[in-house]
Amino acid sequence: MTSLAVPIGVVSRARRVANGFRTLTDIEVDADVIIAGRAGLLGHTPQGRISAGGATQLMQSRDGWCALTLSRPDDVDTVPALIEADDVGDDVWPAVHRWIAERDSAEITERARLLGLPVAALGETPAEAPRIYPFGAATIARSPSRLLVVDLSAMWAGPLCGQLLLGAGATVVKVESASRPDGARTGASAFFDWMNGGKLSYLVDFDDPTGLQALLAAADVVIESSRPAALIRRGLGPVAIGPRDGKVWLRITGHGTREEHANWVAFGDDAAVSGGLVCGGDDSPVFCGDAIADPLTGLEAAVAVVQSLRRGGGELIEFSMSAVAATYAELPDAGETRCNATPQLSTRASELGADNGIVEQLITDKRYAAC
């Protein structure tokens, strides 16, 4: 069984948050499974300054440490432009290491972000609570049970939040397009099933989103993790859809929505580094856990949604993964522990678009239909 090094304070807080979810919903949540579950399912092995999943590396710059993620083919293809070299060879990492070692972290992150790469300087992001804004009128206090949750998110943090709400009795619709399905769908099926088993799969064309607009209008909870502009320009943002009494709109981003931060791409390992959540200290840092900003954000977000529903909803909640990581990084140093647990899978995720008919019926259901 894969064992991950995680700070004791991180595991302790995650367990408290999971217990809070149980108190609010009567649903048992195992924080250790949430933190270590992907590594357990996929056999990911911690590798020091190479992330457990292998796509992110932590490298010493001239004045600190930087993390770069190359998880997508386009990211690898962008490396020659990043380091201004025509030939980097089949393994791009040695050239990247040399380039980073010769530069300051600020120059590295600025150039990489201009090229759309997921990058971070160690500890650049301060801790910050989720931002909560009014979004329509509140209604009576509700639990997630029997509510309609529309999950526009992908990969880990957002889908985990949706999966926890599903466990609490919500009907959860996972929305994808044929041209850009959830990237986790093309990876190991065990992880995708863990995050999405039991959700209804709704296939849409984001360039002709009429049906999706109706679904979002009917939703009690919306989960999204795209850069905000991507939904707004398609008429799918919270302002275009408009509030429904008691609706909760959850937005998860890598680095928040302020100014240029809204366009910064992030994955769990580099977001954790940005927040300073590493093992080994600032002088000799190594990765903590497995893409740990993802599961911690998903867990925290699920509790925040349930708390909002208890307040009557009518709120837009914004989580930054790097700020969540920074919040955990601020916990007192009590040493490290080994975290290992493997989820028990019981439900396969639906095939892409398998539940379109059911979802279209939900849109017109009197319980959900928008006024």
Side-chain angles (χ1 to χ4, degrees):
M1 179 180 291
T2 301
S3 180
L4 302 175
V6 182
I8 290 172
V10 170
V11 177
S12 297
R13 172 170 170 144
R15 288 172 179 167
R16 292 195 300 272
V17 175
N19 288 337
F21 188 82
R22 181 186 60 192
T23 300
L24 291 166
T25 64
D26 292 327
I27 302 301
E28 191 77 33
V29 175
D30 188 332
D32 294 53
V33 170
I34 286 176
I35 291 172
R38 187 177 77 159
L41 285 171
L42 307 185
H44 284 176
T45 303
Q47 304 172 68
R49 295 196 180 112
I50 300 176
S51 65
T56 310
Q57 294 200 18
L58 187 55
M59 297 161 279
Q60 191 162 23
S61 67
R62 200 157 53 188
D63 63 345
W65 295 86
C66 288
L68 179 68
T69 299
L70 301 177
S71 62
R72 304 165 296 185
D74 287 350
D75 296 334
V76 178
D77 292 343
T78 304
V79 167
L82 173 69
I83 66 175
E84 300 176 279
D86 294 329
D87 184 13
V88 295
D90 294 333
D91 180 2
V92 302
W93 284 112
V96 171
H97 276 258
R98 290 192 296 271
W99 183 80
I100 284 180
E102 296 170 356
R103 288 162 177 80
D104 291 344
S105 296
E107 177 187 353
I108 294 161
T109 54
E110 180 181 16
R111 181 167 179 79
R113 284 167 177 154
L114 284 173
L115 293 169
L117 291 171
V119 69
L122 178 60
E124 66 184 342
T125 299
E128 183 180 28
R131 297 183 168 215
I132 302 177
Y133 305 94
F135 184 57
T139 184
I140 61 171
R142 296 182 292 172
S143 75
S145 181
R146 295 174 61 90
L147 297 188
L148 178 60
V149 176
V150 176
D151 182 2
L152 299 172
S153 67
M155 302 305 290
W156 197 347
L160 172 60
C161 177
Q163 187 60 247
L164 292 173
L165 296 176
L166 177 73
T171 297
V172 182
V173 178
K174 181 171 183 63
V175 178
E176 299 169 87
S177 71
S179 59
R180 296 199 66 174
D182 184 342
R185 187 180 281 278
T186 59
S189 60
F191 175 67
F192 188 77
D193 290 342
W194 179 36
M195 289 294 100
N196 299 291
K199 299 178 184 178
L200 299 172
S201 176
Y202 188 49
L203 178 64
V204 300
D205 179 355
F206 279 93
D207 293 322
D208 183 19
T210 304
L212 180 53
Q213 289 169 336
L215 177 62
L216 293 173
D220 298 293
V221 177
V222 176
I223 303 169
E224 50 121 326
S225 61
S226 304
R227 283 175 282 182
L231 291 179
I232 290 170
R233 67 171 175 260
R234 291 176 169 87
L236 297 171
V239 174
I241 297 302
R244 179 187 183 195
D245 288 356
K247 187 191 290 286
V248 177
W249 193 291
L250 173 68
R251 173 176 287 158
I252 296 174
T253 64
H255 297 279
T257 59
R258 287 171 296 175
E259 301 173 345
E260 71 273 13
H261 290 220
N263 294 316
W264 293 357
V265 181
F267 289 91
D269 285 303
D270 54 84
V273 170
S274 181
L277 183 52
V278 294
C279 292
D282 292 346
D283 294 333
S284 185
V286 295
F287 284 108
C288 166
D290 175 22
I292 197 164
D294 268 305
L296 295 179
T297 301
L299 176 60
E300 296 269 353
V303 172
V305 168
V306 176
Q307 290 173 332
S308 179
L309 290 170
R310 292 278 288 261
R311 292 191 295 266
E315 293 179 333
L316 168 64
I317 305 172
E318 291 187 347
F319 271 87
S320 154
M321 292 202 302
S322 57
V324 170
T327 300
Y328 277 80
E330 282 192 339
L331 297 171
D333 184 2
E336 297 174 7
T337 186
R338 306 302 297 186
C339 194
N340 56 74
T342 302
Q344 299 300 310
L345 302 181
S346 58
T347 307
R348 293 287 304 275
S350 293
E351 296 296 325
L352 189 62
D355 304 306
N356 272 38
I358 297 172
V359 175
E360 286 160 7
Q361 290 178 1
L362 286 177
I363 293 172
T364 59
D365 189 310
K366 290 181 180 179
R367 289 180 296 165
Y368 305 123
C371 299

